[in-house]
């Protein structure tokens, strides 16, 4: 029971209280870039969830079985980036094979997951927070869910904004920035939450 | 020292493992892409206008490479794209004549439109025609909210000082986006060589049509053009004269007889008359047979003559003469 409670706390923290996009401000590039359409936002979100979960798993293993025993913690960043880049390559191949239309819709943002700092962020935070293996996997998964949630909310709002009457100078990215700010303010409301 | 060796070993082996994993995965998830598709896609203009009937340039490229789609369907790319694709596919380039858009209405400007009321709603034609069938008197005419200009991807439609939509024949690619955009179906794609157009779309009866047209150039359905046309290219369709462009020879005879100037002929007065050069003519009679107005006479094997009174300057004889014995003066 204690375990489930811990996981639940992790979920609430990763999705709401310490949301990677709106509270930690990581992964803002795809947040603005891929949030124009709900479909591609969902696809991107799924890809990020997959990459984050896998990255959490592999980076934890590498940290604890390779880097720590040989006292090579200073290689953390490069080893993690290597892992994430390979994982993104793998995801790209799988998506291209199984869902070509999604592959086209995601376009350049799929390889950009490599440099999505949210992925590296979750990997490093797992280590810093001294989570165990299972917790690290769940934390990665929930961080992905949090990212997807925010991306979907943003995409929904922006689809509506398309039809709204906005002054010409504010159309497109400017209004998206303002919306992003409002959403960050709204998520600030979760910060008092203690579990 | 040992830490350097360990670092090299660990990072090296990590790289090796990932590399091998990716190599295996790339074999397993290999997607075979026809290199022709990429090449054709590069040639196509990338306007994604849909004139070819495919959802975009890439889809058209795919259809050419994999389904044997015709290669001459790209309107913006034109002859150049067609030839380049022909090289890639190993086919012969079969070009077809370029189409351009023609707006069949001469009203819709600032001072040549009669209004029933002042329209102040959403400024699109589609919305304007929904309000009691449009603000202008004529139920068939242009409602001047310029949906066609908004639809044009090639900046080929402009407003002149009177607020009339003018199509730039050099920029128009004949993609048909404006044809779809016009809620009154005023726009038609016409081969660029055809110059004479009936610029009216009203199906009203003559007197009504005349009264409603702000430009006073309504087709009143008198049928004079139908009778005058030497090649029977004009047909009356529900009170409106319509040119069949596959038959039309752009001779401009219809424009001469049209009492309301609904038919516009930009070549009027510029046409030349045919003259047969007696030293080159061999009397083959081809020109006499082809002449739509019987202006050429002469016996076989003897030099023919053109009756300049009858000649309408359609240049058909000029094109068919095998000996180049006809000049247009």
């Amino acid at each position: 029971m204690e375990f489930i409670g811990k996981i639940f706390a992790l979920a609430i923290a990763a999705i709401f209280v310490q949301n990677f996009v709106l509270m930690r401000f990581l992964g803002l590039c795809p947040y603005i870039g891929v949030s124009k359409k709900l479909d591609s936002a969902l696809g991107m979100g799924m890809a990020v969830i997959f990459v984050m979960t896998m990255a959490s798993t592999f980076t934890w293993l590498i940290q604890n079985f390779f880097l720590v025993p040989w006292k090579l913690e200073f290689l953390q960043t490069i080893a993690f980036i290597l892992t994430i880049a390979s994982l993104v390559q793998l995801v790209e191949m799988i998506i291209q094979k199984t869902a070509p239309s999604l592959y086209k819709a995601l376009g350049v943002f799929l390889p950009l997951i490599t440099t999505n700092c949210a992925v590296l962020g979750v990997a490093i935070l797992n280590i810093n927070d001294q989570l165990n293996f299972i917790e690290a996997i769940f934390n990665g998964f929930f961080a992905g869910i949090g990212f997807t949630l925010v991306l979907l909310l943003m995409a929904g709002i922006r689809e509506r904004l398309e039809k709204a009457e906005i002054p010409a100078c504010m159309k497109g990215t400017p209004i998206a920035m303002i919306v992003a700010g409002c959403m960050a303010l709204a998520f600030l409301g979760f910060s008092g939450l203690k579990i | 020292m040992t830490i350097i060796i360990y670092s090299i070993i660990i990072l090296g082996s990590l790289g090796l493992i990932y590399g091998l994993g990716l190599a295996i995965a790339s074999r397993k998830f290999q997607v075979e892409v026809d290199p022709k598709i990429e090449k054709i896609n590069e040639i196509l203009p990338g306007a994604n206008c849909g004139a070819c009937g495919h959802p975009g340039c890439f889809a058209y490229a795919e259809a050419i490479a994999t389904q044997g789609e015709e290669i001459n369907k790209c309107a913006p790319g034109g002859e150049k794209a067609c030839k380049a694709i022909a090289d890639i596919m190993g086919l012969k380039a079969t070009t077809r004549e370029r189409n351009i858009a023609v707006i069949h209405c001469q009203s819709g400007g600032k001072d040549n439109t009669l209004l029933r009321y002042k329209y102040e709603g959403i400024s699109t034609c589609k919305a304007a025609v929904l309000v009691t069938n449009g603000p202008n008197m004529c139920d068939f005419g242009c409602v001047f909210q310029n949906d066609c200009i908004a639809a044009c991807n090639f900046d080929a439609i402009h407003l002149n000082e009177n607020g009339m939509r003018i199509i730039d024949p050099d920029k128009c690619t004949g993609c048909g986006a404006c044809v779809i955009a016009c809620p009154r179906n005023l726009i038609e794609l016409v081969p660029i060589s055809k110059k004479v157009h009936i610029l009216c779309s009203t199906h009203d009866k003559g007197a009504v049509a005349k009264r409603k047209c702000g430009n006073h150039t309504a087709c009143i359905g008198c049928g004079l053009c139908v009778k005058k046309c030497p090649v029977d290219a004009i047909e009356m369709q529900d009170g409106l004269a319509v040119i069949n462009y596959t038959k039309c020879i752009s001779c401009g005879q219809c424009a001469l007889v049209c009492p309301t100037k609904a038919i516009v002929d930009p070549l009027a007065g510029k046409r030349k008359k045919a003259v047969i050069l007696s030293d080159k003519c061999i009397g083959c009679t081809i020109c006499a047979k082809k002449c739509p107005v019987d202006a050429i006479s002469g016996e076989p094997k003897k030099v023919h003559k053109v009756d300049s009174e009858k000649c309408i300057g359609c240049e058909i004889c000029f094109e068919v003469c095998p000996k180049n014995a006809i000049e247009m003066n």
Side-chain angles (χ1 to χ4, degrees):
Chain A
M1 202 58 212
E2 197 189 328
F3 173 72
I4 295 172
K6 187 91 197 263
I7 296 298
F8 182 74
L10 267 182
I12 295 295
I15 297 173
F16 297 111
V17 184
Q18 290 293 329
N19 186 292
F20 272 81
V21 181
L22 293 178
M23 294 307 289
R24 295 192 206 263
F25 304 113
L26 296 172
L28 291 174
C29 169
Y31 174 60
I32 295 293
V34 203
S35 59
K36 277 188 193 133
K37 272 168 120 188
L38 216 47
D39 298 351
S40 47
L42 187 65
M44 182 74 180
M46 290 301 152
V48 169
I49 291 177
F50 181 76
V51 172
M52 275 189 171
T53 316
M54 297 298 281
S56 297
T57 315
F58 281 99
T59 51
W60 195 92
L61 291 174
I62 285 164
Q63 173 78 16
N64 286 290
F65 290 104
F66 290 100
L67 301 184
V68 174
W70 278 287
K71 298 194 169 45
L72 294 171
E73 285 94 339
F74 62 90
L75 287 176
Q76 195 187 46
T77 313
I78 190 161
F80 284 10
I81 284 182
L82 199 63
T83 313
I84 293 165
S86 320
L87 278 171
V88 171
Q89 277 291 313
L90 186 69
V91 173
E92 197 179 340
M93 281 178 211
I94 295 172
I95 291 184
Q96 193 179 9
K97 179 79 176 179
T98 53
S101 55
L102 179 64
Y103 179 76
K104 269 184 216 162
L106 291 177
V108 71
F109 289 102
L110 196 54
L112 274 184
I113 300 179
T114 318
T115 51
N116 185 343
C117 43
V119 180
L120 183 64
V122 75
I124 291 179
L125 284 168
N126 283 341
I127 308 302
N128 287 359
D129 294 350
Q130 293 180 331
L131 301 179
N132 66 33
F133 184 54
I134 304 293
E135 284 168 354
I137 295 174
F138 273 101
N139 195 34
F141 177 70
F142 289 130
I145 299 257
F147 179 84
T148 310
L149 173 79
V150 172
L151 200 63
L152 286 182
L153 287 176
M154 185 68 170
I157 294 172
R158 284 183 78 174
E159 278 195 352
R160 289 193 172 207
L161 282 178
E162 285 286 306
K163 294 189 185 94
E165 266 192 51
I166 303 165
C169 60
M170 299 297 287
K171 267 182 191 166
T173 315
I175 194 77
M177 294 282 185
I178 292 173
V179 169
C182 293
M183 284 176 74
L185 276 179
F187 267 70
L188 203 62
F190 289 114
S191 63
L193 219 57
K194 275 193 186 139
I195 302 168
Chain B
M1 191 60 205
T2 47
I3 218 157
I4 296 174
I5 295 169
Y6 281 147
S7 329
I8 293 170
I9 292 172
I10 294 282
L11 271 188
S13 51
L14 270 183
L16 196 67
I17 293 166
Y18 291 146
L20 284 176
L22 283 179
I24 294 166
S26 72
R27 267 294 165 80
K28 204 165 184 190
F29 296 105
Q30 195 176 32
V31 180
E32 279 185 30
V33 181
D34 193 337
K36 282 186 214 149
I37 298 178
E38 230 6 85
K39 274 190 194 164
I40 296 171
N41 192 42
E42 272 170 32
I43 288 165
L44 294 173
N48 295 322
C49 64
C52 52
H54 293 274
C57 291
F58 193 80
Y60 181 47
E62 242 175 18
I64 292 175
T66 57
Q67 291 153 29
E69 174 67 281
E70 284 178 50
I71 59 171
N72 58 5
K73 286 194 170 173
C74 182
E79 223 173 296
K80 221 170 126 195
C82 182
K83 273 187 188 145
I85 297 170
D87 285 345
I88 294 172
M89 295 297 294
L91 295 170
K92 258 195 181 166
T94 47
T95 50
R96 54 179 181 187
E97 199 181 355
R98 195 157 73 90
N99 283 348
I100 62 165
V102 170
I103 303 174
H104 289 288
C105 180
Q106 295 186 67
S107 182
K110 279 177 202 149
D111 58 9
N112 60 354
T113 315
L114 293 176
L115 297 176
R116 271 195 292 244
Y117 60 86
K118 195 164 180 235
Y119 176 76
E120 284 187 344
I122 306 165
S123 59
T124 72
C125 302
K126 283 190 179 67
V129 295
L130 289 176
V131 184
T132 67
N133 211 6
N136 33 0
M137 292 280 276
C138 178
D139 288 337
F140 301 91
C142 174
V143 290
F144 49 87
Q145 304 296 329
N146 300 328
D147 277 12
C148 48
I149 296 180
C152 184
N153 284 328
F154 302 95
D155 192 31
I157 312 180
H158 290 280
L159 287 178
N160 70 5
E161 63 276 9
N162 189 26
M164 292 291 292
R165 286 132 296 276
I166 307 297
I167 289 167
D168 184 341
D170 296 329
K171 285 186 182 169
C172 180
T173 61
C175 71
C178 52
V179 177
I180 297 164
C182 182
R184 289 251 153 117
N185 292 328
L186 294 174
I187 308 179
E188 188 187 357
L189 294 179
V190 173
I192 195 165
S193 65
K194 310 292 179 188
K195 300 291 184 197
V196 183
H197 305 297
I198 300 176
L199 298 185
C200 181
S201 300
T202 184
H203 290 287
D204 279 329
K205 291 269 180 299
V208 181
K210 218 171 175 177
R211 199 182 68 230
K212 284 181 175 177
C213 183
N215 201 44
H216 313 295
T217 51
C219 174
I220 53 173
C222 63
L224 284 176
C225 51
V226 179
K227 282 177 203 149
K228 188 71 181 179
C229 182
V231 289
D232 294 328
I234 307 182
E235 233 177 60
M236 293 304 293
Q237 289 180 2
D238 191 17
L240 172 69
V242 176
I243 293 179
N244 178 351
Y245 286 104
T246 54
K247 287 186 188 170
C248 176
I249 55 171
S250 295
C251 66
Q253 292 297 296
C254 46
L256 288 178
V257 295
C258 181
T260 58
K261 301 284 166 232
I263 306 182
V264 173
D265 176 15
L267 297 177
K270 291 181 196 158
R271 284 195 179 75
K272 296 166 181 171
K273 304 266 179 184
V275 173
I276 294 177
L277 305 172
S278 49
D279 53 330
K280 281 190 184 169
C281 179
I282 55 166
C284 66
T285 74
I286 290 176
C287 53
K289 279 178 193 156
K290 288 280 180 184
C291 182
V293 289
D294 293 327
I296 304 178
S297 56
E299 285 172 25
K301 310 241 168 154
K302 280 180 188 167
V303 175
H304 283 48
K305 258 195 176 172
V306 181
D307 183 346
S308 60
E309 292 280 299
K310 283 187 186 170
C311 177
I312 54 173
C314 66
E315 301 190 8
I316 290 179
C317 51
F318 175 75
E319 274 156 31
V320 297
C321 181
K323 293 286 167 191
N324 293 329
I326 300 180
E327 270 188 355
M328 302 303 294
N329 279 327

